[in-house]
Amino acid sequence: MSVAAVYFLVASGLTLIFGLMRVITLAHGTSFLLGGYIGYIVVRYTGNWILGAFAAALGVGLLGLLIHQVLIHRFQDDDMRVALITLGVALIGTDLMAGLVLPRAGGAPGETDAIGVTATLVPVPEQLQGTVDIPFVGYFPLLRLLIIAIAVVVGVALALFINRTRLGSIVRAGVDDSQMTAATGVNVRIVFGFIFLLGSALAGFAGIVQGSLLPLLPGLDGTYLLFSLVVVIVGGMGSVPGAAIGAILVGLVSQFALVYVPTWSVVVTFGLMVLVLAIRPQGILGKVSAL
């Protein structure tokens, strides 16, 4: 369940950007991995996990806003061009992170740790390293329980934001008809920029959460981009509850596949998406688009 919670945190940001705004970003996995490294660096030098999580979310969120406003805003309705631009950002970001080095703690001057090409685990506070005795379940790691709780809070907050707030209504209206929405006096560019910032921030936050649970590794950005796409498509475009259901299904299927058929685990996970789309082309909780 904790792995599914991480999948949901990553996919929740993609639900806003891809599912709600219909912007095909291929840099979401890079945002995820960058958030993990930013969080690791801050926690390493400050010892404060909360500060690291805030820095990861804010740093990646602002970078996402910059990418949207400078690179893709003018081409937002051109899916192919946006995909190519964000693919370029992802490739550049991956190469830059691969060369990330830090001075070695306690080492001689000039000694460094190449954290961008090795397994890097974000330090976790001692208070979160224990276990909790849950009735009918047994002892459960406190960190994993906290990750699940965070995912639930984020999911509820996003669902309320999209469906119960004026800004959420403006975003949905802007996606359906941006010119008409702008005619009512709404600055659609600022609204979309905020959504891109929020979606990127969620990806960055998911990066430090993942790095606290399992090591950050080269190539993890591509893996989580693919899994988050599967989660969004299986759950239904723009549906936060659907993304939650999709994350649970993808998490369970991928983990069972890693145990029983590790060689075919990715194929089995994508087979889940094929099966769901064959039954419900719009996803589990997706809505059929009006022609």
Side-chain angles (χ1 to χ4, degrees), residues 33-84:
L33 190 57
L34 177 61
Y37 284 131
I38 292 176
Y40 170 78
I41 293 171
V42 173
V43 174
R44 174 170 171 168
Y45 288 108
T46 66
N48 192 322
W49 192 92
I50 295 177
L51 183 61
F54 178 78
L58 180 62
V60 176
L62 291 176
L63 179 61
L65 176 63
L66 180 66
I67 292 172
H68 178 265
Q69 297 292 296
V70 176
L71 297 179
I72 67 177
H73 172 72
R74 291 176 296 170
F75 316 112
Q76 188 163 308
D77 296 328
D78 189 338
D79 293 342
M80 182 60 70
R81 188 169 296 184
V82 171
L84 291 175

Side-chain angles (χ1 to χ4, degrees), residues 132-286:
V132 177
D133 188 6
I134 302 177
F136 308 108
V137 176
Y139 288 95
F140 197 84
L142 180 58
L143 176 62
R144 292 177 179 268
L145 189 63
L146 179 61
I147 291 173
I148 295 172
I150 290 173
V152 171
V153 171
V154 169
V156 172
L158 281 181
L160 292 175
F161 165 70
I162 294 174
N163 299 306
R164 301 292 183 180
T165 66
R166 182 174 181 271
L167 182 57
S169 300
I170 291 174
V171 172
R172 287 183 279 115
V175 171
D176 291 336
D177 193 334
S178 59
Q179 293 183 346
M180 183 61 70
T181 304
T184 64
V186 175
N187 191 323
V188 178
R189 178 171 182 172
I190 292 178
V191 173
F192 282 179
F194 170 76
I195 296 300
F196 214 93
L197 183 150
L198 181 59
S200 300
L202 286 170
F205 177 71
I208 186 174
V209 170
Q210 159 68 24
S212 302
L213 185 64
L214 297 170
L216 300 169
L217 296 166
L220 207 60
D221 51 339
T223 300
Y224 271 81
L225 171 63
L226 292 176
F227 279 165
S228 58
L229 283 170
V230 173
V231 168
V232 172
I233 294 172
V234 167
M237 298 283 285
S239 172
V240 174
I245 295 173
I248 294 173
L249 290 176
V250 171
L252 291 175
V253 170
S254 64
Q255 294 306 300
F256 274 109
L258 282 173
V259 173
Y260 294 106
V261 284
T263 305
W264 300 91
S265 59
V266 176
V267 176
V268 172
T269 304
F270 276 86
L272 169 66
M273 181 181 69
V274 173
L275 178 63
V276 170
L277 293 182
I279 300 172
R280 281 184 63 85
Q282 71 272 28
I284 295 175
L285 295 183

